[in-house]
Amino acid sequence: MDGYDHAAIKSKAAAACGWNFIVLMSRQGKIRLSEFFSSYTDSQKKRILRDIASDVLPRQAKMCNIIEKGEYKFVYRRYASLYFIVGAPVEMNELIVLEQIHLFVEALDGYFNSGKFCCCCVLCVYYRIGLAYLCFIFIPLRV
């Protein structure tokens, strides 16, 4: 083990940002990275990911970036070839979530040292998956 209590860190991250989950998905619908801050069964996770793919991907660029779905809503932004999709509680302010997503992308960009939002390229996330995962866990604690 690495000495970290990952469950406690995820719990603090969820409390800090208020998200239920965050998913990075390519334009083709492939999940590149996902982190669930609340507890879900595997079947619930698969249903959520299927809902994201069917609801977010076919939307036009000029359509609203918020989709209410049951007890949470999908708030998303597309950067280059990746969608950053957050599952937020219905009562949470969508504009704050959009700002948090942008802050998260800027943090990833800073860690990847590109200066041009290269972190939104699938290859950057794919080849630096460990760093991207650490950002998923630790960045919400600083938001």
Side-chain angles (χ1 to χ4, degrees), residues 2-140:
D2 55 9
Y4 292 108
D5 181 7
H6 293 283
I9 291 171
K10 285 174 69 171
S11 161
K12 287 180 185 177
C17 67
W19 302 344
N20 293 333
F21 55 85
I22 182 167
V23 176
L24 262 68
M25 182 179 286
S26 70
R27 289 186 300 182
Q28 292 77 26
K30 296 198 183 230
I31 306 298
R32 296 302 176 191
L33 201 55
S34 65
E35 184 62 43
F36 289 84
F37 298 112
S38 301
S39 60
Y40 294 100
T41 64
D42 286 339
S43 63
Q44 288 174 323
K45 289 179 184 180
K46 287 178 185 176
R47 182 183 50 82
I48 288 170
L49 295 174
R50 192 172 49 246
D51 286 346
I52 288 172
S54 65
D55 292 344
V56 172
L57 295 179
R59 294 174 68 87
Q60 300 295 320
K62 293 186 178 186
M63 295 177 84
C64 181
N65 292 3
I66 300 143
I67 302 170
E68 289 196 22
K69 191 81 168 183
E71 69 273 4
Y72 49 81
K73 52 188 159 189
F74 301 139
V75 181
Y76 69 93
R77 286 186 80 165
R78 181 177 160 205
Y79 291 93
S81 61
L82 283 178
Y83 286 94
F84 289 73
I85 305 151
V86 169
V90 175
E91 63 274 357
M92 192 166 192
N93 186 337
E94 300 91 359
L95 297 177
I96 291 174
V97 177
L98 286 169
E99 266 313 299
Q100 288 174 328
I101 292 171
H102 187 70
L103 178 66
F104 180 69
V105 169
E106 285 182 343
L108 280 176
D109 184 54
Y111 282 120
F112 290 156
N113 294 323
S114 68
K116 297 179 183 173
F117 289 115
C118 179
C119 70
C120 305
C121 151
V122 174
L123 291 176
C124 287
V125 173
Y126 183 75
Y127 287 116
R128 297 177 179 159
I129 194 81
L131 183 58
Y133 182 74
L134 285 175
C135 289
F136 266 139
I137 298 299
F138 291 109
I139 293 299

